[in-house]
Amino acid sequence: MIDTIVGILLILTFLGFIVFVMKGGNIMLGFLVMAILWTIIGGIPLKTAIVEVFSKPALEYGSTIMVIIFGSWFGRVLVDTGVAGAISNEAVKVSYKHPIIASILICLVTSLIFTSSYGVGAVIALAVILIPVLTSLGLPKHIAVVAFSLSIGSAMYVNIVIIKQLQIFFPHVFYGAKYLKFGFSAMFIQLAVVTLFILLHARTIHKNESEKSDHQLTSTVRVPKISYIMPVFPVFMNLAFGWEPIPALMLSIAIVLLITGNLKSYNHALIIINDSIKTAITDISGLIIMLLFLTMFSATAVKNAAKFSDILNSIVPNSPTILAISIVILAPLALFRGPLMVWGAGSATVAVLAGTGIFNQYFAFALMLIPSVSIAISTCITQSWNLWLVEDSKIPVKKFLLTGVPYGWISTGLNVALALYMFK
């Protein structure tokens, strides 16, 4: 009886947390407050809380933080050395002769770059190049922006920065061949949806007859064509040789700096290394603290799971198929950091789902990742780079959401079906 009352109180505070976040509350502080509240409500002893809630989880998460830091640094190096821009430039070359193909190619290239790159800085650096190209091809600005954001989102299915964050809840899910088979399949499914999105708006694309355009790249940075494969090189090292993320990223950074000629001078190398590190860490500084608070909240959710397991068992279906259908139907709840957005109010949902232990961890991992990526990261205004894209392009928020969410929803449905097939 006591556990039931405690469980109800925990759920009520969880619902309050959802309302707080969806009304624009600071999610970082929300995680910390929820960790404290659930510690008190759940009756976790003070000594236990100090060690197992507010200390040990954050310390153990340090290794993941390091991967996120190196992943962000690698993304910044790709941008600062001109590799990302050069890859984009290759896509632009065919723009005015084959505009529909070029639009699709630009989205594919964007996805390729963000398999390893991460952060609003990297998005801005590419957006100022590629959004004008897409609009010059005839795509309305809101269509160009949504296609660009969906393409970035597709890459998050294999981006190690994203995957490592969700692994907090699923310690038996590894960033290796088993997951990446799903990850790359989900990535290409979303890219297929992006392609459909562009084809359905093909009538707006016109052929630009001029050989040159004001929207074309003005950058003259030249990099060897071998550098075009570097965005996926860390993933290749993991799949082919079983390398851990940090050495794979370090080797990739070193190779990019070497083949782009940035190691010829000691002083120049020092400048680009220092500048890229500073920018990369700035891009993710808030994210790091938020994730550390999230580990504390996750620890309280796991410790309290037994207290409301009876209530959850009556809500969470035991059938993988029914759960999958429910996720698809409720996918828009990932918007505005809602209960299906892992890096929002959904952190409690995923902690509870993981704590019940009912489902295969890879399956539960995928079901929580999919709406977070295809809906929230790809189409929601609360994602930092989407907010920048909308504000920079002066698109009404409502128009951005109404244009993008239906396609994010389609991608969610297809990828949930894929997860059900692969992992149930």
Side-chain angles (χ1 to χ4, degrees), residues 177-322:
K178 182 175 181 178
Y179 171 75
L180 287 173
K181 182 180 178 182
F182 165 79
F184 276 111
S185 299
M187 170 183 163
F188 286 115
I189 284 174
Q190 182 150 322
L191 282 173
V193 172
V194 175
T195 301
L196 173 66
F197 176 69
I198 291 173
L199 290 176
L200 290 176
H201 294 88
R203 66 183 186 279
T204 68
I205 299 177
H206 62 83
K207 184 175 181 179
N208 190 324
E209 299 295 339
S210 61
E211 294 296 324
K212 295 181 180 181
S213 169
D214 292 338
H215 296 297
Q216 287 182 285
L217 296 176
T218 57
S219 173
T220 57
V221 176
R222 289 181 175 272
V223 297
K225 283 185 167 46
I226 188 67
S227 67
Y228 296 173
I229 67 170
M230 292 311 298
V232 295
F233 190 75
V235 178
F236 168 76
M237 293 302 294
N238 176 273
L239 288 174
F241 303 106
W243 278 40
E244 291 296 316
I246 289 178
L249 289 165
M250 289 177 64
L251 177 61
S252 301
I253 290 168
I255 292 175
V256 169
L257 292 173
L258 179 64
I259 63 180
T260 56
N262 284 287
L263 296 181
K264 292 179 179 179
S265 162
Y266 172 78
N267 289 333
H268 176 73
L270 202 59
I271 290 172
I272 193 168
I273 290 172
N274 285 338
D275 288 349
S276 60
I277 289 173
K278 288 176 184 176
T279 306
I281 293 178
T282 299
D283 285 344
I284 60 171
S285 56
L287 172 67
I288 289 173
I289 299 301
M290 184 186 75
L291 289 173
L292 292 176
F293 287 162
L294 174 57
T295 64
M296 299 171 190
F297 174 47
S298 174
T300 62
V302 171
K303 287 188 175 296
N304 286 315
K307 293 183 174 64
F308 50 115
S309 59
D310 291 340
I311 299 173
L312 287 173
N313 287 337
S314 65
I315 299 174
V316 178
N318 292 323
S319 165
T321 302
I322 294 176

Side-chain angles (χ1 to χ4, degrees), residues 14-304:
F14 168 50
L15 294 175
F17 175 54
I18 293 174
V19 172
F20 170 77
V21 172
M22 293 186 73
K23 285 188 174 182
N26 186 291
I27 191 171
M28 180 175 66
L29 294 179
F31 284 142
L32 180 59
V33 170
M34 282 295 290
I36 295 170
L37 284 176
W38 278 29
T39 296
I40 296 171
I41 295 171
I44 300 173
L46 179 60
K47 188 173 182 180
T48 301
I50 290 173
V51 175
E52 297 183 19
V53 173
F54 297 102
S55 179
K56 189 177 179 181
L59 291 173
E60 290 180 344
Y61 196 60
S63 58
T64 298
I65 293 294
M66 293 307 298
V67 173
I68 293 172
I69 289 172
F70 275 91
S72 180
W73 182 24
F74 177 54
R76 175 47 54 181
V77 167
L78 288 176
V79 172
D80 290 354
T81 56
V83 172
I87 295 173
S88 302
N89 205 7
E90 289 299 311
V92 173
K93 286 182 179 179
V94 298
S95 293
Y96 302 101
K97 293 183 179 179
H98 309 285
I100 295 175
I101 294 175
S103 298
I104 296 171
L105 181 59
I106 287 171
C107 291
L108 292 174
V109 167
T110 299
S111 182
L112 172 67
I113 290 171
F114 281 95
T115 55
S116 293
S117 294
Y118 185 82
V120 67
V123 172
I124 292 171
L126 277 182
V128 296
I129 297 170
L130 296 182
I131 297 297
V133 173
L134 288 171
T135 55
S136 74
L137 294 173
L139 283 176
K141 191 169 285 187
H142 69 287
I143 300 298
V145 168
V146 168
F148 186 71
S149 65
L150 283 168
S151 301
I152 295 171
S154 70
M156 297 301 113
Y157 279 107
V158 296
N159 189 295
I160 196 167
V161 174
I162 291 293
I163 303 308
K164 279 292 180 180
Q165 294 173 40
L166 189 52
Q167 282 179 313
I168 302 172
F169 301 98
F170 301 98
H172 298 298
V173 173
F174 300 101
Y175 187 81
K178 182 175 181 178
Y179 171 75
L180 287 173
K181 182 180 178 182
F182 165 79
F184 276 111
S185 299
M187 170 183 163
F188 286 115
I189 284 174
Q190 182 150 322
L191 282 173
V193 172
V194 175
T195 301
L196 173 66
F197 176 69
I198 291 173
L199 290 176
L200 290 176
H201 294 88
R203 66 183 186 279
T204 68
I205 299 177
H206 62 83
K207 184 175 181 179
N208 190 324
E209 299 295 339
S210 61
E211 294 296 324
K212 295 181 180 181
S213 169
D214 292 338
H215 296 297
Q216 287 182 285
L217 296 176
T218 57
S219 173
T220 57
V221 176
R222 289 181 175 272
V223 297
K225 283 185 167 46
I226 188 67
S227 67
Y228 296 173
I229 67 170
M230 292 311 298
V232 295
F233 190 75
V235 178
F236 168 76
M237 293 302 294
N238 176 273
L239 288 174
F241 303 106
W243 278 40
E244 291 296 316
I246 289 178
L249 289 165
M250 289 177 64
L251 177 61
S252 301
I253 290 168
I255 292 175
V256 169
L257 292 173
L258 179 64
I259 63 180
T260 56
N262 284 287
L263 296 181
K264 292 179 179 179
S265 162
Y266 172 78
N267 289 333
H268 176 73
L270 202 59
I271 290 172
I272 193 168
I273 290 172
N274 285 338
D275 288 349
S276 60
I277 289 173
K278 288 176 184 176
T279 306
I281 293 178
T282 299
D283 285 344
I284 60 171
S285 56
L287 172 67
I288 289 173
I289 299 301
M290 184 186 75
L291 289 173
L292 292 176
F293 287 162
L294 174 57
T295 64
M296 299 171 190
F297 174 47
S298 174
T300 62
V302 171
K303 287 188 175 296
N304 286 315

